Amino acid sequence: MDLAQRLNRIWYESAAVPWWLAALVPVYRALAALRQLPYALGLRRPARIGVPVVVVGNLVVGGSGKTPLVIALVAALRERGWRPGVVSRGYGGSARVAMRVDDATSPTLAGDEPCLIRRRCGVPVAVGRNRAEAARLVLEQGADVVIADDGLQHPALARDIEICVIDGRRRFGNGRLLPAGPLREPLTRLHEVDFRVCNGNQAHAGEIGMQLVGSQAVPLAGTAPPRPVTDFAGQRVHGVAAIGDPARFFASLRAAGLEVCEHAFADHHAFAAADLDFGDNLPVLMTEKDAVKCAAFARAGHWYVPITALLPAALADAVSTRLGGGKAA
């Protein structure tokens, strides 16, 4: 059992917390407080960039559905007359300075999620450790509202709205701070955000429900048309996922009737052709986030399943209103 698997058991499967992990919690808490201290003392101020900022984040390590929500929010705000741009840390990419992301940008440079957002939405996207610098790059491309993919714990960028995404299946695990648990901040932080969005399962009181739907399989190579995932029902397939919760993707394939051979990789895994060589000709189905990294060496029989977040219109209306109302398209 590797470290990631062991931590998953501790955080989400009720395994006992080793003493040495519990002993490191005060260290993590102190480091987190030290990061916030200059802002708490007024020595530094969060950067304001001249347009509204919406931060979409979560409280736990790993994925919870932030990127699908960002994509859905981009579409919803465009429908309401806004010109959104997206900024991201660019985790998994090698870029060291703020940079724009276009349709040809490599995920190895900018990270997989920013490339996915750019290709799905076609809006200005920029990455950078300094989110304010990245935000100014999307402003230069005409954005009048900035959506930050992740960043609840990034105090340097001032924000007008905070949205916390909650994994409806795993929730907050054992409810403990890193490294004894998956929390990056205490659960009391939930009371400070503007909206709480529950991804899957039953939303709790005060939360807005969101469902992820992936019904089509799209080929990575060749000219075959997209086809319903249910066309693979009854077949044995390889399921590939390098996301925060691979089990969610595999479960969605099984729900469509597929017999899945699971291949879970670490989140943001840098794929090579050998990773998809399973020694047979079975179809390979992967997430869209992974597909942006596998397109260069994909072959016939490799498919990805785009995910769409279904959100209540009331959420987009509320966000637009808080940003200053809709605009004329």
Side-chain angles (χ1 to χ4, degrees), residues 199-213:
N199 175 20
N201 286 22
Q202 185 65 43
H204 291 198
E207 298 173 358
I208 299 166
M210 175 178 81
Q211 299 295 325
L212 301 183
V213 177

Side-chain angles (χ1 to χ4, degrees), residues 1-2 9-10 17 19-20 22 25 37 50 94 96 126 129 135 149 161 169 176-177 182 219 249 289 291 308:
M1 182 184 301
D2 63 21
R9 288 189 59 196
I10 294 168
V17 178
W19 68 267
W20 55 273
V25 170
L37 186 61
S94 61
R96 292 292 176 264
R129 293 180 178 180
D149 184 11
I161 294 176
R169 182 176 69 88
R176 301 185 65 168
L177 282 176
F249 178 65
K289 173 177 162 178
T308 298

Side-chain angles (χ1 to χ4, degrees), residues 77-291:
L77 290 179
R78 290 175 83 175
E79 290 174 356
R80 288 159 178 78
W82 295 90
R83 300 188 305 276
V86 177
V87 298
S88 169
R89 165 67 174 80
Y91 188 82
S94 61
R96 292 292 176 264
V97 296
M99 61 168 286
R100 296 176 181 175
V101 177
D102 59 33
D103 295 340
T105 301
S106 169
T108 61
L109 181 61
D112 45 24
E113 289 163 346
C115 290
L116 166 59
I117 293 168
R118 169 64 191 182
R119 294 172 195 183
R120 276 286 292 270
C121 301
V123 298
V125 176
V127 299
R129 293 180 178 180
N130 186 317
R131 306 303 204 288
E133 289 182 3
R136 293 184 183 102
L137 292 179
V138 301
L139 296 189
E140 292 172 1
Q141 299 174 77
D144 60 9
V145 59
V146 171
I147 302 174
D149 184 11
D150 209 357
L152 282 184
Q153 294 79 34
H154 185 72
L157 179 62
R159 69 285 312 268
D160 299 271
I161 294 176
E162 292 185 326
I163 301 175
C164 181
V165 187
I166 301 165
D167 184 329
R169 182 176 69 88
R170 300 192 299 178
R171 301 292 298 181
F172 306 105
N174 62 12
R176 301 185 65 168
L177 282 176
L178 286 166
L183 290 181
R184 297 192 277 184
E185 295 184 272
L187 290 175
T188 52
R189 180 72 164 86
L190 289 172
H191 303 303
E192 302 174 11
V193 303
D194 299 279
F195 301 98
R196 288 174 276 168
V197 175
C198 179
N199 175 20
N201 286 22
Q202 185 65 43
H204 291 198
E207 298 173 358
I208 299 166
M210 175 178 81
Q211 299 295 325
L212 301 183
V213 177
S215 59
Q216 291 285 310
V218 180
L220 271 75
T223 58
R227 54 192 291 196
V229 173
T230 51
D231 280 1
F232 297 91
Q235 294 186 45
R236 199 158 173 253
V237 304
H238 293 288
V240 172
I243 57 178
D245 185 11
R248 183 189 297 275
F249 178 65
F250 301 144
S252 71
L253 297 181
R254 289 198 177 90
L258 284 63
E259 183 183 339
V260 183
C261 302
E262 298 183 4
H263 303 278
F265 295 82
D267 197 11
H268 304 287
H269 175 71
F271 281 95
D275 292 327
L276 304 183
D277 184 2
F278 303 119
D280 54 41
N281 292 317
L282 295 178
V284 176
L285 277 72
M286 66 184 69
T287 73
E288 188 176 13
K289 173 177 162 178
D290 299 320

